[in-house]
Amino acid sequence: MKRRSINMSCLAAASAAAFFTAGDQSVNAAQASLSDKPNVVLILTDDQGTVDMNCYGSKDLYTPNMDKLAESGVRFTQFYVGAPVCSPSRASLLTGRFPQRAQLPYNAYAERGMPTEQLTIAELLKNDGYKTAIFGKWHIGETLDQSPNAQGFDEFLGHKVGCFDNYSHYFYWHGPNRHDLWKNETEYHEDGKFFPDIIVREASRFLEENKDDPFFLFLPFNLPHYPLQAQQKYRDMYKDVKDPKRRRYGAFVSNLDEKIGQVVDKLEELKLRDNTIIIMLSDHGHSEEERTFGGGGSAGPYRGHKFQVWEGGIRVPCIVSWPSHLPENEVRDQLATSIDLFPTIAGYCGAEMPARKIDGIDISAIIESGKAVSERDVMHWELGNMWAVRQGQWKLVSDNGKMFLSNMTVDATETNNIADQHKDIVEQLTSIHNNWKEEVVTQ
């Protein structure tokens, strides 16, 4: 694969530089090595349902740009996130660690965020010469030492709390009301401007300014998370949808699709597309909260939603696209997770892995081949009074102490509880999870 040759060329350049004694030669070798590195654009959607994209089976949504992205890359059908709620899912994505090891197993608020001692993929790539930026929703910490600028990002424009009004940029959901739009560490005001348009504008500017340097651009869109404030043309598009929940949600998904397409178009305009890895996924399943009118998203055949460790809360759409380097318009059924993206991105970019515990596994082999065997056999989730463990075909969910066992090869819908028929499996998986709980808190 070309990915291998790219990494090898980076290593070759670095090795050659070690033999150079003249300063100019060393600088030239380093520049050559950097020029070989791919760019990375990591797109994270917010509260998007497991199957809420045409290419994932939706018949009533309009998602041409996300579908086009899938056509240009690899689409996963069995991809999981680290948690069924925002902050721990984001922490695990950026650190390659289970949320518990990343020290953020719950939603961030006020001073309760991910400690700065954690290492993000942005920090890793920045130390390797990459320009880094985040435009969108942070929700991993509000204090200075927990902010994006303290976690490896050269630039940040976005909000730090879990949600806000897309036009006033105020957080209204519990008092006191407060403005929450920031440019780096300075409060930033652009009252009345649709926030997703700000994200696209800043992303386009960043791409223009850094088109000659390797970059890592993180775009955590706050769509289709509530408040559901789709622009008028998308409200008009869905005006005949009878279900008011689906109507509001669907309009916002299509609005999101447009913004993703605008970023991809900018990459193509700058002729960066073939040297840019785009990874797109949702942070967890769809919401059924009162603040989102009780729902609107869909997990398809899967049980559950946001805040739950059933499949609908943790199984998400995920696409990896890198034209001319990775397969195109292919599907992967192997098990993979968001914590695996840290080492995978590091591998593609030729960055040396840190000397610390990383729970993720490099999944480049299964991205590149549908025949490759997933190295991930066990995955764990825990939130509040619910926990789950999956090992191979078995998945055990503990819901307030009640055990529910599924054989995922025959019942991925988690409809039939077979715990009583396989008490030995329940005991085995419970023991595996308890051992994980003790180990995962170590650094």
Side-chain angles (χ1 to χ4, degrees):
M1 300 298 294
K2 292 187 179 180
R3 176 256 184 181
R4 305 298 182 191
S5 62
I6 284 177
N7 281 348
M8 289 304 293
S9 66
C10 293
L11 292 174
S15 297
F19 290 97
F20 294 149
T21 56
D24 289 344
Q25 289 176 308
S26 297
V27 170
N28 290 339
Q31 289 174 340
S33 180
L34 280 175
S35 68
D36 285 336
K37 292 178 178 291
N39 309 307
V40 180
V41 176
L42 177 59
I43 299 172
L44 188 65
T45 65
D46 200 355
D47 288 15
Q48 184 176 4
T50 310
V51 299
D52 282 331
M53 215 182 290
N54 297 148
C55 61
Y56 277 91
S58 173
K59 304 297 184 183
D60 62 342
L61 299 179
Y62 179 73
T63 59
N65 292 296
M66 289 186 272
D67 297 333
K68 183 179 177 182
L69 199 57
E71 290 172 3
S72 70
V74 171
R75 175 173 64 85
F76 282 87
T77 63
Q78 203 168 184
F79 196 92
Y80 294 95
V81 286
V85 70
C86 293
S87 298
S89 175
R90 291 158 195 269
S92 60
L93 169 66
L94 290 179
T95 64
R97 295 176 141 195
F98 288 111
Q100 291 74 14
R101 201 187 310 278
Q103 298 172 277
L104 193 61
Y106 36 64
N107 262 349
Y109 189 73
E111 296 182 358
R112 188 177 76 170
M114 187 174 75
T116 190
E117 292 79 13
Q118 293 292 333
L119 179 75
T120 70
I121 185 65
E123 289 176 276
L124 187 76
L125 295 181
K126 181 177 180 178
N127 291 336
D128 206 42
Y130 275 69
K131 305 294 185 181
T132 61
I134 168 177
F135 305 120
K137 169 179 169 178
W138 178 240
H139 204 195
I140 301 179
E142 297 180 50
T143 61
L144 285 176
D145 63 324
Q146 299 167 357
S147 70
N149 297 125
Q151 297 284 12
F153 291 98
D154 297 319
E155 295 188 41
F156 167 54
L157 200 158
H159 61 108
K160 296 182 181 180
V161 187
C163 61
F164 73 169
D165 181 89
N166 284 285
Y167 293 94
S168 70
H169 313 137
Y170 267 78
F171 176 80
Y172 292 118
W173 281 266
H174 51 79
N177 294 341
R178 57 186 170 124
H179 183 262
D180 189 39
L181 185 60
W182 302 83
K183 187 172 185 179
N184 297 319
E185 295 306 331
T186 303
E187 194 170 349
Y188 177 78
H189 291 269
E190 200 167 347
D191 186 42
K193 183 71 173 179
F194 188 50
F195 181 60
D197 283 339
I198 296 176
I199 294 176
V200 173
R201 183 193 70 203
E202 294 302 309
S204 298
R205 174 193 57 77
F206 176 83
L207 294 174
E208 286 270 11
E209 293 177 359
N210 295 282
K211 60 181 181 294
D212 297 323
D213 298 305
F215 57 78
F216 173 69
L217 176 59
F218 182 34
L219 298 177
F221 283 93
N222 60 324
L223 284 69
H225 194 290
Y226 57 80
L228 304 177
Q229 297 173 305
Q231 292 174 300
Q232 190 61 48
K233 63 180 176 180
Y234 291 108
R235 296 185 187 191
D236 292 341
M237 178 182 291
Y238 285 83
K239 62 182 174 59
D240 295 327
V241 175
K242 293 182 179 180
D243 183 349
K245 297 179 182 179
R246 191 66 170 173
R247 181 170 64 243
R248 296 186 186 98
Y249 171 85
F252 221 25
V253 169
S254 292
N255 215 153
L256 164 69
D257 181 82
E258 177 191 69
K259 302 309 167 190
I260 291 173
Q262 289 170 351
V263 174
V264 177
D265 287 347
K266 189 64 178 181
L267 287 166
E268 292 177 346
E269 175 192 323
L270 296 173
K271 303 188 185 308
L272 295 171
R273 187 65 182 91
D274 284 349
N275 195 40
T276 301
I277 304 167
I278 299 179
I279 302 172
M280 187 205 126
L281 71 155
S282 177
D283 62 346
H284 47 67
H286 68 286
S287 169
E288 293 195 355
E289 296 164 85
E290 181 180 14
R291 292 176 287 189
T292 196
F293 300 97
S298 176
Y302 304 112
R303 179 178 181 176
H305 49 79
K306 178 181 178 181
F307 295 115
Q308 298 180 334
V309 297
W310 305 109
E311 292 293 285
I314 54 177
R315 185 189 287 228
V316 300
C318 179
I319 296 166
V320 180
S321 173
W322 189 11
S324 303
H325 296 82
L326 297 176
E328 298 186 22
N329 200 27
E330 293 192 8
V331 177
R332 297 290 179 263
D333 298 321
Q334 300 100 315
L335 188 150
T337 79
S338 60
I339 62 176
D340 297 331
L341 294 178
F342 184 113
T344 305
I345 291 171
Y348 280 131
C349 295
E352 184 177 351
M353 287 291 287
R356 61 169 56 199
K357 174 67 175 178
I358 298 295
D359 296 304
I361 299 169
D362 186 335
I363 57 171
S364 57
I366 62 176
I367 292 173
E368 294 165 7
S369 172
K371 297 179 180 180
V373 177
S374 174
E375 294 182 33
R376 179 165 297 287
D377 186 52
V378 181
M379 186 64 186
H380 300 265
W381 301 269
E382 187 155 326
L383 184 70
N385 294 322
M386 291 191 76
W387 59 261
V389 56
R390 177 166 176 184
Q391 183 179 46
Q393 65 187 8
W394 302 106
K395 182 183 173 188
L396 179 66
V397 173
S398 174
D399 187 355
N400 286 298
K402 182 179 179 180
M403 299 298 187
F404 192 106
L405 181 68
S406 302
N407 183 331
M408 300 299 286
T409 59
V410 296
D411 182 24
T413 65
E414 296 172 298
T415 301
N416 301 308
N417 187 358
I418 55 176
D420 287 343
Q421 295 98 295
H422 299 279
K423 293 181 179 179
D424 57 330
I425 301 296
V426 172
E427 182 178 343
Q428 176 185 333
L429 293 179
T430 301
S431 176
I432 290 173
H433 188 72
N434 288 338
N435 291 336
W436 169 82
K437 286 179 64 174
E438 293 182 9
E439 188 274 335
V440 79
V441 296
T442 63
Q443 302 307 302

